[in-house]
Each structure stands twice: as structure tokens, then as C-alpha cells.
Amino acid sequence: MPQASVWFLRAAMVHLLLGFAAGGLLLAQKGLPLPAPVAPLLGAHRDLVLVGWMGQCALGVAWWILPRYPREPVRGPEWPARAAWWLVNGGVLVAAIARPAGGALAGYAGIALGAILLVGALLPRVKAFGR
Amino acid sequence: MPRVSRWLVRSALVALLLGLGTLAAIAARPVAGLPAWVVLLDPAAIHLLTVGWLTQMVFGVALWMFPRASAAAPRGSQRLGWLAWAGLNVGLALRVVAEPLALTGQPLPGLLILSALLQFLAALAFVVNVWPRVRARP
């Protein structure tokens, strides 16, 4: 497994735990008044699970297993994956933390830029074997 | 494919059908004359698809296909794998029952909290089991 995929998959698992913890609080408060309001966690729960966990897990596996090039670097230059990792993870955290202060837009911009970078690197690898 | 992965993938496929069926029932309610409480199943349907289908499918395939943990236990702890399967599915089933009741003003706090804890425990069991297998080739 390439190093970039290790970063994506390990970060995805951290997002899974954070997202499920937020979701657990949201579910529990439907039957039990909690000391602090947890409703503002809904947006963070959604971003952590859908983008941080599922989206990032798919990207990490795609970087690992999509067809490789016949010569080095077999997965293409690694910088788009490294940059995308920072942009996606920074974006999810900014969107989750800064949402009440209107920071979600900056977070989503980072996520979108990271996704564009990685999709640009992955698209040429979606090809028939031997090409 | 290891046994726990087969159960995770089978359960994921069942959750897909249940989630889509629930969404279809919600959409069909006005024309099919279904009771009003059907719409309260919407959050459960979303979680059947995102947790029961997508997340569970990832769990099953990852336990099967990620790099081997060791020669002695290539796919890590089977016990943690089964804990993830049981926690996710029992937790999700409790949610499907308890959440609509809570939305109608008849909350069962114990079931909701147990559901939340079981699903988090499932995620934790998966992460503890799979984390050492996510590593760069030496």
C-alpha cells in the first residue's frame, strides 16, 4: 500500500470515530436531555462521516488499487495526493469547527480543491490493462 | 473471503434493500395511503444506507482485502471483526425501532443510548483491528 493511501485511510478511520461519536450524541439527545445542546453537531456529523470517512476511504483505496503506469512513478507524481490529503482533512475540520461562525464555506472550498487535484491525478489511471 | 467478511457484506446488502425500501415507502405514502408515521422513518432510512450499507460494506471488504496483519493471524482479530458486525447491526436495529418512537414523543432513552454506544463500539472495534494493517509496503 503506498504511503499516500496509508495517510488517507488512517485519517478516514479517525473521521469515522469522530463522526460516529457526534452521531451518537445526536441520537442519545432524542431521548435524554443532555447538559449541552448538541444540535449544532449535525453539520459536523454529516461532513465527518460522508466526506472525512466514506469519501476519503474511497480516495485512499482508489490511489492504491487503480491501474498503475508501466514505469516509475507507477501511480503518477505523489504531490497531488499529498496536497489533496491536507486540503480534504483541513477542509473537513474547518467546516466542522467553524460552521457556527460561517466558516463552512472555507472548509468546503478546501475539500473541493483537494478533490479536484486528486480526481485529476486519478482519471488517467482509469484505463484498460496494459495501456 | 473470511466468514466475518461474508456476514458483513451480506448484512450490508440486506441493509441496502431495507433502506431503499423504506425510502420508497416514504415516497409512496401519499398515493399508497400508508400511515403518517412512515415519514418518521426517514432518518432511519438514511442511516440504513450510510451505516448499514456503505460503512458495513467497507468494513467487510477491508477486513478481507487489506494487507495481512501477520502470518499467524493474517486478518487480525476475528473477535473484533464479529464485535464490529454485531455492534453495527444490533445498534442500527435498535435505532430503527427507538428513533421513530422518540420522534412521536414516546422516547425510550435506554434504547437510544444503547444504539449509539453499540454503533460507536463497532467503529472502534473495526479501527483497532484494521489500523495495524494500513501500512506502507516495507
Side-chain angles (χ1 to χ4, degrees), chain B residues 2-67:
Chain B
R3 192 156 175 250
V4 66
S5 286
R6 295 200 301 272
W7 278 93
L8 282 160
V9 171
R10 283 176 186 147
S11 304
L13 293 170
V14 170
L16 169 67
L17 294 181
L18 291 175
L20 291 177
T22 307
L23 286 181
I26 293 168
R29 189 190 71 82
V31 290
L34 295 173
W37 60 262
V38 167
V39 297
L40 300 177
L41 293 172
D42 188 61
I46 298 300
H47 286 85
L48 278 166
L49 293 172
T50 53
V51 177
W53 158 236
L54 293 170
T55 296
Q56 187 158 219
M57 181 63 87
V58 170
F59 282 14
V61 174
L63 285 172
W64 170 31
M65 298 202 72
F66 272 18

Side-chain angles (χ1 to χ4, degrees), chain B residues 79-92:
Chain B
R79 189 172 294 179
L80 286 175
W82 285 111
L83 185 60
W85 175 78
L88 209 67
N89 287 289
V90 176
L92 201 52

Side-chain angles (χ1 to χ4, degrees), chain A residues 18-80:
Chain A
L18 293 174
F20 269 42
L25 288 173
L26 286 161
L27 183 60
Q29 63 91 35
K30 289 182 179 176
L32 188 74
L34 296 177
V38 295
L41 287 176
L42 182 60
H45 167 59
R46 189 189 61 200
D47 295 340
L48 286 163
V49 173
L50 292 182
V51 181
W53 159 236
M54 292 179 188
Q56 186 162 218
C57 187
L59 290 173
V61 171
W63 183 261
W64 173 29
I65 67 168
L66 280 178
R68 288 172 284 179
Y69 297 116
R71 54 183 74 87
E72 293 287 344
V74 292
R75 291 183 176 84
E78 201 168 80
W79 72 264

